[in-house]
Amino acid sequence: MSTSDAWPALPYEEWKDTCATLHLWTQIAGKIRLALTPWVNHSWHVAMYLTARGLTTSTVPYRSGSFEIEFDFIDHALLVRTSDGARASTPLAPRPVARFYRELFDLLAGLGIAVRIRTMPNEIPDAIPFERDEVHAAYDADAAHRFWRILMQSDRVLERFRAGFIGKCSPVHFFWGSFDLAVTRFSGRPAPPHPGGVPNLPDWVVRDAYSHEVASCGFWPGGGPVRYPAYYAYAYPEPAGFSAARVRPDAARYSPELREFVLPYDAVREAAEPESTLLEFFESTYAAAADLGGWDRPALERESPDR
């Protein structure tokens, strides 16, 4: 497979409508998992995960069994599978969020699954309740497939990066609220209360997420002030001097607006060695956060087995 096939182009402006619709569709599935699983610190119980075909809620407990919801970006279908062998599906195709919401809950009802969710989207300004959203209705199958392939490549590198840390660390997971793939390392020390202020997200949820010092990084398809897909890295609380730290590769820049380092995805996909370039970004930004923040790095790190 060529580099261009493995790391496909995904100009944000060409698929922004599909991106917005898919963001909302994943929120509906994610909120179903949220409603049925015990609360885990930092909201780790709500995240989705990469599969060999798309994104999954992973196992969701229900009564004496379980089920999962998967977005299949190869056959472009939404599937619900239960632990007793039942399954139902509907195509991933252009239609309003309100219709998708009804169809998914009809699938669940047909499988004997009853659940209620809060229908206001999270982390989105000017949000429309799912059942009333006739605005977002785009689905470009090719773009959705390329997005998933980028997530797969990013997941591979994030897993390598995660392997070098033996302190508390999140899984590599996909947050449907912010619509990004992320991994987070922890220093082990409590952090000052987060100011909150995230659109349509209770401040207590944000404070739970940032209850302890973190260095986090991941992939985001773009939006708002960043009109291109990008990798990011930030620290909370941000240590003095972090914004001026020298990180690699040279294409990485600190965004004062986002308060994080940003590396355009195209700088990675066009590099001679995309995986090494991306790993360099994750490691150098983490080193800046940990060194400037006074983390006990010898106690928290190890040489990755693949090195």
Side-chain angles (χ1 to χ4, degrees):
M1 180 181 290
S2 69
T3 298
S4 60
D5 290 333
W7 298 82
L10 191 66
Y12 176 74
E13 295 298 330
E14 292 182 8
W15 87 297
K16 62 182 180 181
D17 292 339
T18 293
C19 183
T21 301
L22 189 56
H23 186 178
L24 292 161
W25 289 357
T26 61
Q27 288 216 6
I28 296 169
K31 281 173 173 274
I32 291 168
R33 183 179 184 215
L34 168 63
L36 295 171
T37 52
W39 188 274
V40 177
N41 59 343
H42 318 300
S43 298
W44 290 355
H45 62 304
V46 308
M48 302 179 79
Y49 300 91
L50 268 291
T51 74
R53 302 185 69 89
L55 283 167
T56 180
T57 58
S58 74
T59 303
V60 179
Y62 188 75
R63 295 178 179 168
S64 60
S66 63
F67 68 95
E68 72 169 327
I69 302 171
E70 182 180 18
F71 290 81
D72 183 331
F73 295 126
I74 294 178
D75 288 340
H76 299 284
L78 181 79
L79 301 101
V80 183
R81 291 183 285 257
T82 71
S83 56
D84 62 6
R87 58 175 286 160
S89 66
T90 188
L92 293 178
R95 60 187 177 285
V97 168
R99 180 179 164 192
F100 179 90
Y101 171 80
R102 293 192 298 270
E103 289 180 357
L104 175 50
F105 275 82
D106 285 346
L107 292 182
L108 294 172
L111 295 170
I113 299 168
V115 59
R116 296 180 66 181
I117 66 171
R118 184 176 181 272
T119 62
M120 181 63 74
N122 295 126
E123 302 185 53
I124 296 174
D126 304 317
I128 306 169
F130 301 133
E131 72 275 17
R132 300 207 305 263
D133 190 345
E134 302 288 343
V135 175
H136 301 95
Y139 186 77
D140 179 333
D142 178 66
H145 180 80
R146 283 182 281 135
F147 172 57
W148 162 69
R149 285 172 54 195
I150 294 168
L151 291 178
M152 279 201 306
Q153 297 297 337
S154 304
D155 180 81
R156 183 197 314 274
V157 180
L158 286 165
E159 290 286 3
R160 285 182 61 192
F161 173 67
R162 185 181 187 274
F165 199 76
I166 57 176
K168 178 177 176 178
C169 189
S170 77
V172 178
H173 45 197
F174 185 85
F175 279 110
W176 43 263
S178 46
F179 207 58
D180 64 331
L181 186 72
V183 68
T184 302
R185 292 175 168 185
F186 292 77
S187 74
R189 299 185 304 233
H194 195 282
V198 178
N200 290 303
L201 191 67
D203 287 347
W204 72 265
V205 175
V206 183
R207 292 184 181 123
D208 176 72
Y210 294 102
S211 61
H212 290 70
E213 292 180 344
V214 301
S216 188
C217 58
F219 171 78
W220 185 50
V226 180
R227 309 301 288 182
Y228 50 85
Y231 295 98
Y232 65 84
Y234 65 87
Y236 181 80
E238 183 177 303
F242 182 68
S243 63
R246 297 186 63 181
V247 303
R248 301 180 303 275
D250 290 342
R253 295 289 185 270
Y254 183 83
S255 165
E257 184 173 6
L258 298 175
R259 298 188 65 83
E260 59 191 39
F261 282 98
V262 175
L263 174 65
Y265 166 70
D266 283 349
V268 174
R269 66 178 292 266
E270 293 168 2
E273 297 182 0
E275 288 194 25
S276 297
T277 299
L278 182 53
L279 189 60
E280 183 179 48
F281 174 69
F282 293 150
E283 290 183 335
S284 65
T285 51
Y286 159 73
D291 289 342
L292 293 168
W295 290 29
D296 185 0
R297 295 186 62 183
L300 296 170
E301 301 169 23
R302 68 168 180 174
E303 284 293 316
S304 295
D306 64 343
R307 295 182 184 175

